[in-house]
Amino acid sequence: MVRLTVDLVARSISHKNHKEESLAQYLRKMTHLNLSDKNIDTIDDLSLCRNLNVLYLYDNQIRQIRNLGFASNLTHLYLQNNCISCMENLTSLKKLEKLYLGGNYITVVEGLETLEELRELHVESQRLPLGEKLLFDPRTLHSLAKSLSVLNISNNNIDELGGLAPLENISHLIAVDNQLHHVKDLEFILNKWTKLRRMDLKGNPVCRKPKYRDRLIIQSKTLESLDGKEIKEMERQFLMSWKESKASKKKSTEEHMTNEHATYPHFHDFGTGHPIFPVYYNPSEKRKPKFLILSELHRFPHNRGEPLQRPPKRSNINVSRRFSSHLTLKDSQSLLPKEDILEPHLLNQLPREPETTTSFCSLKSQENFLQHHNWGISEPAMK
């Protein structure tokens, strides 16, 4: 194994040691250092490199982040594909803007509370224990809320994004190959992330949901690219118009149902959503019935609240005209059975043994009703 020391740095650089400048002076001026793929397992004292801005240590065997307190000017740190299991000893890197930790053994994103300048965090493809997912410390999330704009959490078994809502400044999310299932969860987070411009969710089960792309485009007015595909303004305008048309149609339907409820107050207690008309016929003779009567209870205020009754025997009315757009009387020989017909939900309102001959819709009241509306009667009411 290899330790990262000043000697290793000296051997890896192409510095020509001029007489007027020593190695130590050169290291103090150095801003970029690339020691990737050197089989390094331990970071030792690099305090001479105090002006480093960019440090490449990816593709090594580093197990612990340590001895970076000197690098107060560091802005970019590349530590992906190492053996790091804990995010620690980063508090002194107050100017850090980009942190790359993908391909390690990290289970919790934490320890970044002091990194107020951090703009990009890459923690994709952690080698997690079987069945576990990458977690986020709420303290770290709240600390990064104002600064973090790019987040890469791909391939970490993540099944929901609601916990990341505090990251209100996010403009680019990369979360491919996770376990996101629900469009509603994505709609919720898009409502929180009002600065999001690009989002990549390829490889998640949610991508196979119907209208997945349409719903996300409608939800976010700032989204410019989804799953690597550009969102054109014409596409968004079309989907927004479709949504408004659907909402208007739904509102119109609800208003229509409300008006029907006001018009037919007696018939909306059964949860049907539509007005219900009682249907019955006169069973005075054994032969098949010759007429069908549909009546509107709300036309007879004096009968409201009274139980429904069968029409009296021998009241043989035959109406042959079309009443209105709502009521149509037809020959019922082919439509009705030989026995009395009543709507099932009205049967419990019928008295078992009527004690009076006054029916719900008596002969006289029917005749008055028809005369009031200028509707004719085909035969005399009584013989």
Side-chain angles (χ1 to χ4, degrees):
M1 292 298 177
V2 180
R3 296 176 68 88
L4 175 55
T5 63
V6 172
D7 291 338
L8 179 63
V9 175
R11 292 195 302 268
S12 64
I13 62 178
S14 58
H15 168 67
K16 293 182 179 180
N17 194 5
H18 299 285
K19 293 181 181 180
E20 65 276 6
E21 185 179 49
S22 65
L23 176 62
Q25 291 174 327
Y26 178 80
L27 292 179
R28 291 190 188 99
K29 291 182 179 180
M30 188 168 54
T31 59
H32 290 64
L33 178 60
N34 188 347
L35 292 172
S36 60
D37 197 17
K38 300 291 184 181
N39 206 29
I40 297 170
D41 68 326
T42 304
I43 302 174
D44 212 333
D45 183 16
L46 294 175
S47 56
L48 286 177
C49 305
R50 64 186 64 175
N51 287 311
L52 273 181
N53 297 139
V54 181
L55 178 58
Y56 299 95
L57 292 174
Y58 57 86
D59 294 338
N60 283 296
Q61 300 297 320
I62 299 172
R63 296 181 179 277
Q64 184 180 14
I65 303 173
R66 51 178 293 185
N67 294 326
L68 293 179
F70 71 92
S72 58
N73 293 313
L74 199 65
T75 59
H76 296 58
L77 178 58
Y78 296 81
L79 286 168
Q80 61 267 45
N81 300 326
N82 279 281
C83 301
I84 300 168
S85 59
C86 182
M87 296 174 64
E88 57 185 347
N89 301 320
L90 295 169
T91 56
S92 61
L93 308 181
K94 297 185 183 300
K95 293 184 179 180
L96 194 65
E97 297 178 1
K98 297 183 181 182
L99 177 58
Y100 294 81
L101 286 167
N104 281 285
Y105 291 86
I106 297 169
T107 57
V108 181
V109 176
E110 58 185 346
L112 306 178
E113 288 82 1
T114 62
L115 308 187
E116 297 179 354
E117 301 295 325
L118 192 65
R119 295 187 290 106
E120 294 189 21
L121 177 60
H122 301 261
V123 288
E124 73 283 359
S125 302
Q126 298 300 318
R127 286 169 272 188
L128 300 165
L130 184 64
E132 293 192 15
K133 65 179 180 179
L134 184 65
L135 302 176
F136 295 83
D137 186 341
R139 295 171 297 182
T140 290
L141 294 178
H142 285 285
S143 299
L144 300 178
K146 300 295 183 181
S147 63
L148 195 66
S149 60
V150 178
L151 179 62
N152 187 348
I153 53 174
S154 298
N155 192 27
N156 283 315
N157 294 330
I158 294 173
D159 55 8
E160 59 92 21
L161 299 177
L164 303 179
L167 301 176
E168 58 187 47
N169 203 49
I170 287 289
S171 63
H172 186 191
L173 175 71
I174 309 164
V176 304
D177 297 328
N178 279 296
Q179 296 300 319
L180 300 172
H181 285 82
H182 305 294
V183 179
K184 286 187 177 181
D185 291 343
L186 299 179
E187 291 176 329
F188 169 79
I189 203 67
L190 288 176
N191 190 46
K192 299 292 183 180
W193 291 349
T194 57
K195 297 181 181 179
L196 191 66
R197 298 287 184 273
R198 301 170 61 193
M199 183 164 67
D200 194 349
L201 303 175
K202 293 191 296 290
N204 282 276
V206 70
C207 298
R208 300 189 291 271
K209 297 286 186 178
K211 302 292 184 181
Y212 150 77
R213 179 178 173 87
D214 295 350
R215 290 175 62 177
L216 296 192
I217 293 175
I218 291 173
Q219 187 64 35
S220 175
K221 296 181 180 180
T222 61
L223 203 59
E224 298 173 355
S225 174
L226 179 59
D227 299 338
K229 185 177 180 181
E230 180 186 1
I231 300 172
K232 297 182 179 180
E233 189 59 29
M234 183 179 296
E235 180 182 11
R236 175 175 278 109
Q237 290 296 333
F238 172 79
L239 292 172
M240 293 298 292
S241 299
W242 171 79
K243 179 184 178 182
E244 292 173 0
S245 175
K246 186 177 180 181
S248 177
K249 187 175 181 180
K250 182 178 179 181
K251 182 178 179 181
S252 176
T253 302
E254 290 176 350
E255 290 177 351
H256 177 70
M257 296 302 299
T258 301
N259 293 337
E260 281 192 347
H261 179 80
T263 306
Y264 304 101
H266 289 281
F267 304 122
H268 285 269
D269 295 331
F270 307 104
T272 63
H274 298 281
I276 304 169
F277 299 95
V279 181
Y280 54 85
Y281 70 97
N282 190 334
S284 58
E285 300 181 10
K286 293 183 178 180
R287 59 182 183 177
K288 292 184 179 180
K290 294 297 184 179
F291 59 88
L292 175 67
I293 299 179
L294 304 181
S295 60
E296 296 178 90
L297 289 179
H298 72 283
R299 298 284 189 181
F300 303 95
H302 58 279
N303 284 326
R304 291 180 180 174
E306 298 179 4
L308 298 180
Q309 300 181 11
R310 301 180 189 275
K313 294 184 178 181
R314 302 298 181 183
S315 57
N316 196 9
I317 303 177
N318 187 5
V319 183
S320 59
R321 295 185 58 180
R322 181 180 297 273
F323 282 173
S324 67
S325 60
H326 297 290
L327 302 178
T328 304
L329 306 186
K330 300 179 180 179
D331 185 358
S332 60
Q333 283 188 343
S334 61
L335 299 177
L336 299 176
K338 295 181 180 182
E339 298 180 357
D340 292 5
I341 297 179
L342 285 165
E343 288 294 318
H345 57 271
L346 297 178
L347 289 176
N348 59 356
Q349 299 186 35
L350 286 172
R352 296 181 180 178
E353 297 181 1
E355 298 179 358
T356 177
T357 58
T358 303
S359 66
F360 154 69
C361 188
S362 66
L363 176 60
K364 190 62 178 178
S365 61
Q366 293 185 36
E367 184 176 0
N368 292 340
F369 174 72
L370 296 174
Q371 290 176 356
H372 176 71
H373 291 277
N374 295 321
W375 295 342
I377 301 177
S378 61
E379 297 179 10
M382 296 288 292
K383 291 184 181 181

